[in-house]
Every structure is written in structure tokens, then in C-alpha cells.
Amino acid sequence: CPYTNRNYDSSFTCTKSGVVSRPLNKEGESGEKTTKQQAIRAVPPLRECIEGLASDSDSEEDLEDKYDERIRLQAIKLLKRICDNPRYVPLIVKFGAFGTIVDQVMQRVLEPSVDIASIIRNASINRALQADFIRDKGLECLEILLENRDGRIQTCAAECLRDLMPYLHDHMGDTEKAFDHRVLMHILKLVLGLKHPAIEKFAVDSMLTMVAFRPMRPLLIRERIIEATKHLVRRQKSSHDLDVNKALMGIYYYLVSYSEEAASIIANDKSLLQLLAALGEFGENFQKHNAQILHRLCTYKALRFKLYENNVIDILLALRDSNDPDSRKLSLDAVFELVKSEEIIQAIPADSDIMQMMVALSRFGSSQVKGAATKIVNKLSRFQEQEYRKRRAAERAEAKRNSPVSKGRSGFP
């Protein structure tokens, strides 16, 4: 017998469920003439059959587990088909099926699948059920789905996060409907870490919603979100990339406006500054966003000279040629902020573009701009005059030391 590894009479047939006798023919035979007593004596004891089955790799317990697993999978498929109709999703949540699925996924009883991800996705879409979704640990379940290698499951989880973010944003400070902000942060990092083009927009949209909530900004800065999103800034003109870049510039502006710590990350990253400046070629909207970020950066005294070293002056001068009036004004205000630093005043050459621009503005700008530009021109002129006098004094001293009269006089006692 292939199931029990035992030898039986040829009058019997071995099956996975046990050993059964072959049906008798009309003459009461099963191929050979066998009496009833012989057949009874040939049947192996029941205990021996059970022991034989237990010794096989498919034990009774294994068979039961496989049966349970098969029933669970069939139930999941059935629930998925029910959830495809939005009318029945509230019933799935109300009667506990959704909570049971989440619990079993989190306890690793159920392996994440596309069907499970679809059920969770359908529950997250319904705004009336989002409070129940959070209560039933649906947010924590998204962590497990995002850790799965199946791209379809990851996409479903990212879409769930996108659908939930408005609700989470509205209740971030609500103690009655509170959730763990660290869990949300971990989910967001998982989404960003996937680097999957299909879910990049979901990730940045979710982050933009999160960063708009002021108490979340320290957590985002602490988790180094700016560094984690730098790879998403791309000079490509597809609608997808433009939407991603627009959301990223909004995120950076929120963080830069919040603290000097976040501002220093961008100010010290010359390549990121150049990437953001390059996005200006895609329209006035990007130019305005870039001018907003740079203006905010220039308000931090400790960062001004580093920004100057990273050629921010050139970026601001280029924005002065924008067709957008807001971009021109913000870039000019940023220049005025930047040259408040004495170090930068000392570093600006006399024939530089910034000096020429200030001279022009002091003559032809509005009354307010004229006044600010005139002050800067005077500061630059005074410093350059002082530098000129120092150079002339140094040259005269050097010439005096090298003159023949000086050398002759040095020989007298």
C-alpha cells in the first residue's frame, strides 16, 4: 500500500482514507473465490491502518490543517467577491469579517494575498468605515502588506494609505479617534523605500497631506524624509513626474518654513538646489515654488554664506527673468535677505552681476525697491572702497620696501 507501507491481500484496495475491500461480483468473488470469513480475516485491524496513516508525511493533523487552510482561502475568495460590490462592504465590517482577516494576517495565520489586499482596499475607500478601519488595526495591517514582495499587494496598500490620509489628517489631534503616529511614519517610509514608479505619486501625496499637519513635521524631519525623497526629483516632463515634483516642492517648503534643521539639509546640498532650480524650465508654477523655498532659506542667518557658496545667487538672478511677478518679487526679496550678511558683502566682486543689478534697481525700481537697493549699493561701495584703500596702502608699502633708497638707508648704523 503506498499510503501505509504495508502488504495486504489483493482483494483490497488502498486509498488515502484507508483500506477498503474490492466490490464482489455477482458470484460473490473479487477476481478470486474468497469466502466471507477469509475476507474478514484478511482485513487489517483499524488501529493498524490508523498507525500506518500516521506514519506517512500527510498525517491526520496535516490533513486537517490543509483542509482548514483550503477553507480559509475559499472564504477569502468569497469575501473578496462580495466586497467587489460596495453595497456589501459595510456588512463585512459590521459582522467582524474584516477584523478577523486583519487579526489573522497580523498573527501570520494568513499569508498576504491579492484577495486580502483587495478586501482591505475596498474597506479603506468607504469614508464611513474609516474609523472602524483604524479601530480594527487596519493601519497596522498595511505594514505587513507593504513588506510583501508582490507589487500588486504593495500597490493596494499604498492606495489604502492615500485614501486614509484625509481622515488621518483630520483626526491627528483627536484623542477619541487617536492612532499611533509612529505606525503611520513607518508605513510612509516603507512606501518610499519601495521605489516603485506606480506608487510614487501615492507616497508623495500622502506625505504632503501629513506635512500640512504641523505637529507631524518634527517626526518627518527626524526620520530624514528630505534625504529619502531626493531620488524622486527628476528632470522629466511626463505628467507623472511633474505631479511628483510639484508635491515634493510643497513638502520641502513646509519643512524649510518649520525649522532651521530642515532648511540646513537643503542649503548644504548643492545638487538638490540645482535640481530644484532646473525644474523651473517646466513652467512658472515651478519657478514660484522654487523662489518660495529659496526665499525661506535666505531668512536663516546661519545658512546665508553656505547658500552663497552653493551659487544660490545665480539661481536667484535667473528667477529675476521669470514671467511670473511673484517669482521675481520673491527672488529679489531673497537677494535682499542674502546680502544682509557681512561675509557675503565682502565676498561679492565689484564687477559682479549682483552689483550691476543693484545699481540698476537703485535707479529704475519702485520707491521701496530703490531704497533697499541703494542701501546695498552703498554697503558694497563702502566695502570696495575700503578694500581699494587697503590694496593701495599695501602696494605703497611694498614699493617702499623695494625702492633703492630704502635699501641704501638700511645699511647705515
Side-chain angles (χ1 to χ4, degrees), residues 22 28 31 49 62 92-93 104 147 162 166 192 195 197 218 228 254 266 277 287 303 305 307 354 388 405:
R22 292 180 182 173
C49 292
D62 292 336
I92 298 296
V93 176
Q104 295 209 357
E147 290 170 351
R162 182 194 61 183
L192 291 172
K195 298 183 180 180
Y254 273 122
I266 297 180
Q287 294 169 8
L303 303 178
F305 192 73
L307 288 167
I354 189 70
Y388 175 75
V405 176

PDB file of all heavy atoms in Angstrom, residues 22 28 31 49 62 92-93 104 147 162 166 192 195 197 218 228 254 266 277 287 303 305 307 354 388 405:
ATOM      1  N   ARG A  22     -12.435  -4.675  -2.326  1.00  0.00           N
ATOM      2  CA  ARG A  22     -12.972  -4.519  -3.663  1.00  0.00           C
ATOM      3  C   ARG A  22     -14.409  -5.041  -3.708  1.00  0.00           C
ATOM      4  O   ARG A  22     -14.756  -5.985  -2.993  1.00  0.00           O
ATOM      5  CB  ARG A  22     -12.117  -5.304  -4.657  1.00  0.00           C
ATOM      6  CG  ARG A  22     -10.719  -4.714  -4.831  1.00  0.00           C
ATOM      7  CD  ARG A  22      -9.928  -5.525  -5.804  1.00  0.00           C
ATOM      8  NE  ARG A  22      -8.577  -4.992  -5.952  1.00  0.00           N
ATOM      9  CZ  ARG A  22      -7.622  -5.584  -6.654  1.00  0.00           C
ATOM     10  NH1 ARG A  22      -7.881  -6.727  -7.258  1.00  0.00           N
ATOM     11  NH2 ARG A  22      -6.436  -5.050  -6.739  1.00  0.00           N
ATOM     12  N   GLY A  28     -20.089 -13.366  -5.985  1.00  0.00           N
ATOM     13  CA  GLY A  28     -19.531 -13.175  -4.643  1.00  0.00           C
ATOM     14  C   GLY A  28     -18.035 -13.243  -4.644  1.00  0.00           C
ATOM     15  O   GLY A  28     -17.431 -13.605  -3.653  1.00  0.00           O
ATOM     16  N   GLY A  31     -12.458 -11.363  -8.141  1.00  0.00           N
ATOM     17  CA  GLY A  31     -11.357 -11.804  -9.000  1.00  0.00           C
ATOM     18  C   GLY A  31     -10.963 -13.211  -8.661  1.00  0.00           C
ATOM     19  O   GLY A  31     -10.560 -13.987  -9.500  1.00  0.00           O
ATOM     20  N   CYS A  49      -4.320   0.363  10.592  1.00  0.00           N
ATOM     21  CA  CYS A  49      -4.500   1.294   9.474  1.00  0.00           C
ATOM     22  C   CYS A  49      -4.214   2.725   9.914  1.00  0.00           C
ATOM     23  O   CYS A  49      -3.539   3.487   9.220  1.00  0.00           O
ATOM     24  CB  CYS A  49      -5.931   1.201   8.930  1.00  0.00           C
ATOM     25  SG  CYS A  49      -6.299  -0.359   8.108  1.00  0.00           S
ATOM     26  N   ASP A  62      -1.920  17.014   9.698  1.00  0.00           N
ATOM     27  CA  ASP A  62      -1.559  17.764   8.496  1.00  0.00           C
ATOM     28  C   ASP A  62      -2.733  17.885   7.549  1.00  0.00           C
ATOM     29  O   ASP A  62      -2.976  18.942   6.956  1.00  0.00           O
ATOM     30  CB  ASP A  62      -0.385  17.095   7.774  1.00  0.00           C
ATOM     31  CG  ASP A  62       0.902  17.185   8.576  1.00  0.00           C
ATOM     32  OD1 ASP A  62       1.002  18.109   9.406  1.00  0.00           O
ATOM     33  OD2 ASP A  62       1.774  16.328   8.384  1.00  0.00           O
ATOM     34  N   ILE A  92     -19.561  43.460   5.792  1.00  0.00           N
ATOM     35  CA  ILE A  92     -18.340  42.698   6.083  1.00  0.00           C
ATOM     36  C   ILE A  92     -17.656  43.264   7.327  1.00  0.00           C
ATOM     37  O   ILE A  92     -17.163  42.521   8.180  1.00  0.00           O
ATOM     38  CB  ILE A  92     -17.383  42.748   4.864  1.00  0.00           C
ATOM     39  CG1 ILE A  92     -18.032  42.101   3.639  1.00  0.00           C
ATOM     40  CG2 ILE A  92     -16.062  42.075   5.195  1.00  0.00           C
ATOM     41  CD1 ILE A  92     -18.319  40.642   3.777  1.00  0.00           C
ATOM     42  N   VAL A  93     -17.650  44.593   7.433  1.00  0.00           N
ATOM     43  CA  VAL A  93     -17.023  45.235   8.590  1.00  0.00           C
ATOM     44  C   VAL A  93     -17.897  45.076   9.827  1.00  0.00           C
ATOM     45  O   VAL A  93     -17.411  44.763  10.922  1.00  0.00           O
ATOM     46  CB  VAL A  93     -16.746  46.724   8.286  1.00  0.00           C
ATOM     47  CG1 VAL A  93     -16.180  47.432   9.513  1.00  0.00           C
ATOM     48  CG2 VAL A  93     -15.784  46.858   7.112  1.00  0.00           C
ATOM     49  N   GLN A 104      -5.846  37.769  11.589  1.00  0.00           N
ATOM     50  CA  GLN A 104      -5.144  36.568  11.126  1.00  0.00           C
ATOM     51  C   GLN A 104      -3.939  36.924  10.267  1.00  0.00           C
ATOM     52  O   GLN A 104      -2.941  36.204  10.281  1.00  0.00           O
ATOM     53  CB  GLN A 104      -6.116  35.673  10.352  1.00  0.00           C
ATOM     54  CG  GLN A 104      -7.238  35.120  11.225  1.00  0.00           C
ATOM     55  CD  GLN A 104      -7.751  33.783  10.739  1.00  0.00           C
ATOM     56  OE1 GLN A 104      -7.322  33.270   9.718  1.00  0.00           O
ATOM     57  NE2 GLN A 104      -8.666  33.208  11.498  1.00  0.00           N
ATOM     58  N   GLU A 147       5.384  45.060   3.264  1.00  0.00           N
ATOM     59  CA  GLU A 147       6.603  44.253   3.357  1.00  0.00           C
ATOM     60  C   GLU A 147       6.585  43.062   2.409  1.00  0.00           C
ATOM     61  O   GLU A 147       7.607  42.398   2.227  1.00  0.00           O
ATOM     62  CB  GLU A 147       6.783  43.764   4.797  1.00  0.00           C
ATOM     63  CG  GLU A 147       7.144  44.889   5.774  1.00  0.00           C
ATOM     64  CD  GLU A 147       7.091  44.439   7.219  1.00  0.00           C
ATOM     65  OE1 GLU A 147       6.618  43.307   7.468  1.00  0.00           O
ATOM     66  OE2 GLU A 147       7.507  45.211   8.098  1.00  0.00           O
ATOM     67  N   ARG A 162      -3.238  56.295   0.735  1.00  0.00           N
ATOM     68  CA  ARG A 162      -3.678  57.540   0.093  1.00  0.00           C
ATOM     69  C   ARG A 162      -5.131  57.860   0.456  1.00  0.00           C
ATOM     70  O   ARG A 162      -5.475  59.006   0.743  1.00  0.00           O
ATOM     71  CB  ARG A 162      -3.544  57.415  -1.419  1.00  0.00           C
ATOM     72  CG  ARG A 162      -3.924  58.680  -2.183  1.00  0.00           C
ATOM     73  CD  ARG A 162      -4.107  58.408  -3.653  1.00  0.00           C
ATOM     74  NE  ARG A 162      -5.171  57.441  -3.874  1.00  0.00           N
ATOM     75  CZ  ARG A 162      -5.508  56.970  -5.063  1.00  0.00           C
ATOM     76  NH1 ARG A 162      -4.840  57.355  -6.132  1.00  0.00           N
ATOM     77  NH2 ARG A 162      -6.492  56.103  -5.198  1.00  0.00           N
ATOM     78  N   PRO A 166      -6.649  61.738   4.223  1.00  0.00           N
ATOM     79  CA  PRO A 166      -7.534  62.847   4.640  1.00  0.00           C
ATOM     80  C   PRO A 166      -8.168  62.601   6.001  1.00  0.00           C
ATOM     81  O   PRO A 166      -8.253  63.527   6.828  1.00  0.00           O
ATOM     82  CB  PRO A 166      -8.583  62.892   3.517  1.00  0.00           C
ATOM     83  CG  PRO A 166      -7.890  62.316   2.331  1.00  0.00           C
ATOM     84  CD  PRO A 166      -7.000  61.253   2.878  1.00  0.00           C
ATOM     85  N   LEU A 192       7.966  54.775   0.633  1.00  0.00           N
ATOM     86  CA  LEU A 192       9.058  55.475  -0.039  1.00  0.00           C
ATOM     87  C   LEU A 192      10.205  54.529  -0.381  1.00  0.00           C
ATOM     88  O   LEU A 192      10.859  54.678  -1.403  1.00  0.00           O
ATOM     89  CB  LEU A 192       9.570  56.604   0.844  1.00  0.00           C
ATOM     90  CG  LEU A 192       8.617  57.795   1.030  1.00  0.00           C
ATOM     91  CD1 LEU A 192       9.167  58.734   2.080  1.00  0.00           C
ATOM     92  CD2 LEU A 192       8.402  58.524  -0.267  1.00  0.00           C
ATOM     93  N   LYS A 195      10.412  52.392  -3.898  1.00  0.00           N
ATOM     94  CA  LYS A 195      10.938  52.988  -5.139  1.00  0.00           C
ATOM     95  C   LYS A 195      10.256  52.394  -6.359  1.00  0.00           C
ATOM     96  O   LYS A 195      10.903  52.023  -7.338  1.00  0.00           O
ATOM     97  CB  LYS A 195      12.461  52.816  -5.215  1.00  0.00           C
ATOM     98  CG  LYS A 195      13.205  53.506  -4.084  1.00  0.00           C
ATOM     99  CD  LYS A 195      14.704  53.384  -4.218  1.00  0.00           C
ATOM    100  CE  LYS A 195      15.417  54.089  -3.069  1.00  0.00           C
ATOM    101  NZ  LYS A 195      16.892  53.988  -3.162  1.00  0.00           N
ATOM    102  N   PRO A 197       7.683  52.984  -9.411  1.00  0.00           N
ATOM    103  CA  PRO A 197       7.094  54.120 -10.138  1.00  0.00           C
ATOM    104  C   PRO A 197       5.582  54.209 -10.012  1.00  0.00           C
ATOM    105  O   PRO A 197       5.026  55.300 -10.005  1.00  0.00           O
ATOM    106  CB  PRO A 197       7.510  53.851 -11.596  1.00  0.00           C
ATOM    107  CG  PRO A 197       8.722  52.992 -11.495  1.00  0.00           C
ATOM    108  CD  PRO A 197       8.524  52.148 -10.276  1.00  0.00           C
ATOM    109  N   PRO A 218       8.096  67.649  13.022  1.00  0.00           N
ATOM    110  CA  PRO A 218       9.318  67.172  13.704  1.00  0.00           C
ATOM    111  C   PRO A 218       9.601  65.703  13.450  1.00  0.00           C
ATOM    112  O   PRO A 218      10.764  65.304  13.302  1.00  0.00           O
ATOM    113  CB  PRO A 218       9.011  67.437  15.180  1.00  0.00           C
ATOM    114  CG  PRO A 218       7.972  68.486  15.190  1.00  0.00           C
ATOM    115  CD  PRO A 218       7.152  68.271  13.972  1.00  0.00           C
ATOM    116  N   ALA A 228      15.384  61.037   2.002  1.00  0.00           N
ATOM    117  CA  ALA A 228      14.721  59.849   1.458  1.00  0.00           C
ATOM    118  C   ALA A 228      13.959  60.134   0.173  1.00  0.00           C
ATOM    119  O   ALA A 228      13.662  59.198  -0.586  1.00  0.00           O
ATOM    120  CB  ALA A 228      13.761  59.268   2.498  1.00  0.00           C
ATOM    121  N   TYR A 254       7.160  73.348   3.276  1.00  0.00           N
ATOM    122  CA  TYR A 254       6.600  73.192   4.623  1.00  0.00           C
ATOM    123  C   TYR A 254       7.703  72.933   5.649  1.00  0.00           C
ATOM    124  O   TYR A 254       7.727  73.528   6.729  1.00  0.00           O
ATOM    125  CB  TYR A 254       5.607  72.038   4.653  1.00  0.00           C
ATOM    126  CG  TYR A 254       4.193  72.407   4.275  1.00  0.00           C
ATOM    127  CD1 TYR A 254       3.563  71.781   3.209  1.00  0.00           C
ATOM    128  CD2 TYR A 254       3.478  73.356   4.994  1.00  0.00           C
ATOM    129  CE1 TYR A 254       2.249  72.104   2.853  1.00  0.00           C
ATOM    130  CE2 TYR A 254       2.175  73.686   4.654  1.00  0.00           C
ATOM    131  CZ  TYR A 254       1.566  73.055   3.583  1.00  0.00           C
ATOM    132  OH  TYR A 254       0.285  73.380   3.244  1.00  0.00           O
ATOM    133  N   ILE A 266      18.761  71.179   3.024  1.00  0.00           N
ATOM    134  CA  ILE A 266      18.690  71.602   1.624  1.00  0.00           C
ATOM    135  C   ILE A 266      19.792  72.600   1.306  1.00  0.00           C
ATOM    136  O   ILE A 266      20.421  72.542   0.238  1.00  0.00           O
ATOM    137  CB  ILE A 266      17.303  72.199   1.322  1.00  0.00           C
ATOM    138  CG1 ILE A 266      16.216  71.135   1.502  1.00  0.00           C
ATOM    139  CG2 ILE A 266      17.249  72.774  -0.090  1.00  0.00           C
ATOM    140  CD1 ILE A 266      14.813  71.617   1.238  1.00  0.00           C
ATOM    141  N   ALA A 277      16.234  74.045  -9.001  1.00  0.00           N
ATOM    142  CA  ALA A 277      16.318  75.177  -9.928  1.00  0.00           C
ATOM    143  C   ALA A 277      16.018  74.735 -11.363  1.00  0.00           C
ATOM    144  O   ALA A 277      15.359  75.459 -12.119  1.00  0.00           O
ATOM    145  CB  ALA A 277      17.701  75.814  -9.843  1.00  0.00           C
ATOM    146  N   GLN A 287       8.734  77.716 -10.973  1.00  0.00           N
ATOM    147  CA  GLN A 287       9.600  78.848 -10.650  1.00  0.00           C
ATOM    148  C   GLN A 287       9.154  79.525  -9.351  1.00  0.00           C
ATOM    149  O   GLN A 287       9.979  79.895  -8.512  1.00  0.00           O
ATOM    150  CB  GLN A 287       9.571  79.847 -11.809  1.00  0.00           C
ATOM    151  CG  GLN A 287      10.187  79.318 -13.093  1.00  0.00           C
ATOM    152  CD  GLN A 287       9.903  80.205 -14.296  1.00  0.00           C
ATOM    153  OE1 GLN A 287       9.361  81.304 -14.152  1.00  0.00           O
ATOM    154  NE2 GLN A 287      10.259  79.739 -15.480  1.00  0.00           N
ATOM    155  N   LEU A 303      22.680  80.242   7.543  1.00  0.00           N
ATOM    156  CA  LEU A 303      22.782  79.494   6.287  1.00  0.00           C
ATOM    157  C   LEU A 303      23.136  80.363   5.096  1.00  0.00           C
ATOM    158  O   LEU A 303      23.383  79.842   4.005  1.00  0.00           O
ATOM    159  CB  LEU A 303      21.443  78.776   6.001  1.00  0.00           C
ATOM    160  CG  LEU A 303      20.935  77.819   7.065  1.00  0.00           C
ATOM    161  CD1 LEU A 303      19.589  77.241   6.652  1.00  0.00           C
ATOM    162  CD2 LEU A 303      21.938  76.695   7.309  1.00  0.00           C
ATOM    163  N   PHE A 305      25.736  82.299   4.116  1.00  0.00           N
ATOM    164  CA  PHE A 305      27.027  82.185   3.422  1.00  0.00           C
ATOM    165  C   PHE A 305      27.158  80.835   2.729  1.00  0.00           C
ATOM    166  O   PHE A 305      27.738  80.748   1.640  1.00  0.00           O
ATOM    167  CB  PHE A 305      28.188  82.393   4.391  1.00  0.00           C
ATOM    168  CG  PHE A 305      29.500  82.561   3.692  1.00  0.00           C
ATOM    169  CD1 PHE A 305      29.786  83.723   3.012  1.00  0.00           C
ATOM    170  CD2 PHE A 305      30.445  81.543   3.702  1.00  0.00           C
ATOM    171  CE1 PHE A 305      31.004  83.883   2.332  1.00  0.00           C
ATOM    172  CE2 PHE A 305      31.654  81.694   3.040  1.00  0.00           C
ATOM    173  CZ  PHE A 305      31.932  82.866   2.353  1.00  0.00           C
ATOM    174  N   LEU A 307      24.689  79.172   1.438  1.00  0.00           N
ATOM    175  CA  LEU A 307      23.877  79.308   0.221  1.00  0.00           C
ATOM    176  C   LEU A 307      24.647  80.071  -0.849  1.00  0.00           C
ATOM    177  O   LEU A 307      24.597  79.715  -2.031  1.00  0.00           O
ATOM    178  CB  LEU A 307      22.569  80.026   0.552  1.00  0.00           C
ATOM    179  CG  LEU A 307      21.537  79.229   1.354  1.00  0.00           C
ATOM    180  CD1 LEU A 307      20.446  80.149   1.871  1.00  0.00           C
ATOM    181  CD2 LEU A 307      20.931  78.103   0.511  1.00  0.00           C
ATOM    182  N   ILE A 354      25.423  90.773  -9.459  1.00  0.00           N
ATOM    183  CA  ILE A 354      24.575  91.230  -8.364  1.00  0.00           C
ATOM    184  C   ILE A 354      24.788  92.731  -8.122  1.00  0.00           C
ATOM    185  O   ILE A 354      23.836  93.480  -7.857  1.00  0.00           O
ATOM    186  CB  ILE A 354      24.855  90.406  -7.072  1.00  0.00           C
ATOM    187  CG1 ILE A 354      23.811  90.725  -5.994  1.00  0.00           C
ATOM    188  CG2 ILE A 354      26.242  90.638  -6.555  1.00  0.00           C
ATOM    189  CD1 ILE A 354      22.450  90.226  -6.285  1.00  0.00           C
ATOM    190  N   TYR A 388      39.906  98.812  -1.635  1.00  0.00           N
ATOM    191  CA  TYR A 388      40.805  99.509  -2.571  1.00  0.00           C
ATOM    192  C   TYR A 388      41.896 100.251  -1.807  1.00  0.00           C
ATOM    193  O   TYR A 388      43.081 100.218  -2.174  1.00  0.00           O
ATOM    194  CB  TYR A 388      39.983 100.471  -3.427  1.00  0.00           C
ATOM    195  CG  TYR A 388      40.827 101.328  -4.338  1.00  0.00           C
ATOM    196  CD1 TYR A 388      41.402 100.795  -5.499  1.00  0.00           C
ATOM    197  CD2 TYR A 388      41.058 102.676  -4.022  1.00  0.00           C
ATOM    198  CE1 TYR A 388      42.186 101.595  -6.325  1.00  0.00           C
ATOM    199  CE2 TYR A 388      41.840 103.471  -4.848  1.00  0.00           C
ATOM    200  CZ  TYR A 388      42.392 102.923  -6.001  1.00  0.00           C
ATOM    201  OH  TYR A 388      43.175 103.712  -6.817  1.00  0.00           O
ATOM    202  N   VAL A 405      66.410 103.603  -2.458  1.00  0.00           N
ATOM    203  CA  VAL A 405      66.709 104.483  -1.334  1.00  0.00           C
ATOM    204  C   VAL A 405      66.535 103.758  -0.022  1.00  0.00           C
ATOM    205  O   VAL A 405      67.349 103.854   0.897  1.00  0.00           O
ATOM    206  CB  VAL A 405      65.797 105.732  -1.387  1.00  0.00           C
ATOM    207  CG1 VAL A 405      66.040 106.613  -0.158  1.00  0.00           C
ATOM    208  CG2 VAL A 405      66.044 106.500  -2.670  1.00  0.00           C
TER     209      VAL A 405
END
